[in-house]
Amino acid sequence: HLVESGGDLVRPGGSLRLSCLAAGFNLDHYIIGWFRQVPGKEREGVSCISRSDTSGDSADYADSVKGRFTISRDNAEHMVTLQMNSLRPEDTAVYYCAAGWHCDIRARNYDMSYWGKGTLVAVSS
């Protein structure tokens, strides 16, 4: 399973680092994605990182976070992180990590098999 951590209340312009710890499987065999959801709205893809074993950890980002967020993975530690800088109030959401086989953020097309329970990020002054 996947366990997220690092969510917190932060002021606009601040930074947070979210972590996703995988238990029971090898992260390097999966595409890992970060998603977020606000109550009443559809869950949206934030960032995905490709499989380490076939695609060399290439990353993709939603336009709304490009240049501010960075996804990375440490397979030896079974960990994927999302570094979030220059946070804005509109980044407020529950953030989920997921592991699976397909992630196309622009097309909003995903095939993710495992999901964490989420961690809350609140950006407010």
Side-chain angles (χ1 to χ4, degrees):
H1 62 283
L2 301 171
V3 180
E4 304 93 337
S5 62
D8 205 346
L9 171 64
V10 63
R11 294 184 184 278
S15 297
L16 282 176
R17 186 177 182 88
L18 302 185
S19 297
C20 174
L21 179 64
F25 59 95
N26 289 324
L27 271 183
D28 57 339
H29 296 329
Y30 294 87
I31 294 170
I32 306 298
W34 282 96
F35 299 79
R36 66 187 181 187
Q37 189 168 24
V38 175
K41 291 191 175 181
E42 191 175 323
R43 185 156 48 190
E44 65 170 338
V46 174
S47 179
C48 290
I49 188 166
S50 62
R51 290 174 57 167
S52 298
D53 56 347
T54 59
S55 304
D57 290 344
S58 63
D60 192 19
Y61 300 92
D63 288 342
S64 59
V65 307
K66 198 170 291 183
R68 299 188 298 124
F69 291 10
T70 303
I71 190 171
S72 61
R73 67 159 85 214
D74 184 337
N75 293 323
E77 296 295 326
H78 305 287
M79 184 83 71
V80 174
T81 60
L82 185 69
Q83 178 66 42
M84 306 189 297
N85 299 327
S86 302
L87 283 162
R88 304 168 180 169
E90 54 264 39
D91 294 319
T92 295
V94 177
Y95 283 71
Y96 301 87
C97 72
W101 311 109
H102 180 72
C103 179
D104 186 331
I105 291 177
R106 278 171 189 74
R108 299 182 182 181
N109 188 283
Y110 313 103
D111 179 10
M112 311 303 277
S113 299
Y114 304 98
W115 290 86
K117 293 185 177 180
T119 185
L120 176 62
V121 172
V123 184
S124 175
S125 55

